[in-house]
Amino acid sequence: MSERTNGTTNGTTATAGPSAGPAAERELNAERLLRVSARHSHDPLTEIDWDAPQDPDRFAIPPHRVSLYGTPLWDSMTHRQQARLSGYELASTISAGIWFELVLMEGLVRHVYESDLTTKHAQYALTEVADECRHSTMFARYLTTTGYPSARPTRRAQRLGRLHFLLNDTTMTFAGAIFVEEYTDALQREMIRDDSLQPLARAVARIHVIEEARHIGYAKPELERRWAAMSAPRRALFRQGLALLAQQSVAEVIHPRVYALAGLDPATARRAAAANPHWQRSKADWARKAVLFFTELGIIDRRSEYRWRRASLLPGAPG
Ligand SMILES: [Fe+2]
Ligand SMILES: [Fe+2]
């Protein structure tokens, strides 16, 4: 497959010496990321105070980022109920994060398996797997600490995960990682800035933001290189595939169970959220950086942008 040819070519050229070129740049980037990882890696199990008391009136994410904010249903809720819903929405986002990290780890391990571990590029991929292992453990601990009932993904997500394993498409793994990491990064940066929020939620966000910046710095140039080498027919498929992945990943973020847990009728609440312009705006805001990057590369263009708009990931009225 073209994936393997690509990986082998890059791996071979990387050992050819310091001459400039995509493979040498790839090694330099990986070397820098390995250095930063050695200096700034965190152990959330010992660095976070998991036993600190939780204030039920504090929000976990900024109120205006809760999916029902600004709707009549939101206005009918008590402050504590709104705060509780914000906690469940963060927990649901975190649960989706675990699902995505597991899919990403599988993709990265496969990438390493097909690469040469004497390259810094492959060594960094393993370092990223180690980061994601700690993150998923941290996320699971957050769920159990806050009483969220499950980290199982929906059936839709399980199908998407199986499809990803089956297609064995490393380029899609990197593109999906950029989308999900930028999307969650945007929300988590807002959480870090807002000191009225739950300290536990902010501590989790802080560690994740620090370590994810490296992952984005690894995936972006890799996607650029792979996209540049991709044939026109494959690009056409890739545009549609990534739009579908983004749309399904965002749909996974808010599990309908959060509304029932907050004491609301799930069907009514889902409809209210789907039609809520504040919620559509939040999704477009969090997707902005990834969308900009994909647009610059030409992965989002006139042929695929309608899918992004329909998923509220591009500003403007959803179709
Ligand atoms: Fe992560
Ligand atoms: Fe990551």
Side-chain angles (χ1 to χ4, degrees), residues 48-250:
I48 290 178
D49 181 4
W50 295 100
D51 299 321
Q54 310 271 341
D55 180 348
D57 288 319
R58 279 203 185 210
F59 283 75
I61 59 175
H64 72 284
R65 294 309 199 183
V66 180
S67 64
L68 295 178
Y69 176 84
T71 64
L73 187 55
W74 177 259
D75 295 336
S76 74
M77 294 162 72
T78 64
H79 175 90
R80 182 163 290 188
Q81 200 181 9
Q82 292 172 347
R84 193 146 48 107
L85 178 61
S86 81
Y88 288 130
E89 291 203 358
L90 178 64
S92 175
T93 307
I94 278 178
S95 165
I98 293 176
W99 162 69
F100 196 84
E101 288 188 339
L102 294 176
V103 173
L104 171 62
M105 281 189 258
E106 198 273 350
L108 285 171
V109 167
R110 208 174 44 206
H111 180 52
V112 173
Y113 186 79
E114 292 170 355
S115 305
D116 178 351
L117 256 174
T118 63
T119 63
K120 301 285 186 208
H121 177 80
Q123 289 167 24
Y124 181 75
L126 275 190
T127 306
E128 184 168 321
V129 172
D131 288 351
E132 299 296 15
C133 279
R134 293 194 307 279
H135 296 169
S136 287
T137 311
M138 166 173 78
F139 288 162
R141 182 74 183 264
Y142 181 83
L143 297 184
T144 52
T145 304
T146 57
Y148 194 68
S150 170
R152 289 296 304 148
T154 62
R155 268 199 210 103
R156 172 191 54 224
Q158 289 179 47
R159 274 197 304 272
L160 190 64
R162 267 196 296 275
L163 183 67
H164 184 260
F165 298 151
L166 198 72
L167 292 176
N168 188 17
D169 186 340
T170 308
T171 311
M172 190 60 81
T173 304
F174 282 111
I178 291 165
F179 176 73
V180 172
E181 288 172 348
E182 289 283 29
Y183 190 88
T184 49
D185 189 73
L187 163 64
Q188 289 168 338
R189 282 178 192 271
E190 291 177 3
M191 291 168 60
I192 293 171
R193 281 196 295 270
D194 187 343
D195 61 11
S196 72
L197 302 177
Q198 274 180 19
L200 180 64
R202 294 177 71 223
V204 167
R206 195 173 298 112
I207 287 184
H208 204 239
V209 162
I210 292 170
E211 301 196 336
E212 287 299 320
R214 314 196 278 262
H215 302 178
I216 295 168
Y218 181 67
K220 279 188 170 175
E222 188 61 18
L223 180 63
E224 278 172 345
R225 280 186 287 271
R226 287 165 173 268
W227 179 254
M230 204 183 278
S231 67
R234 210 171 150 236
R235 281 183 173 196
L237 269 178
F238 195 87
R239 282 190 187 95
Q240 303 302 324
L242 181 62
L244 186 72
L245 185 151
Q247 177 209 329
Q248 301 266 311
S249 300
V250 166

Side-chain angles (χ1 to χ4, degrees), residues 264-282:
L264 302 169
D265 173 54
T268 309
R270 272 179 89 172
R271 273 198 303 276
N276 182 6
H278 296 283
W279 178 231
Q280 287 159 5
R281 163 102 193 268
S282 294

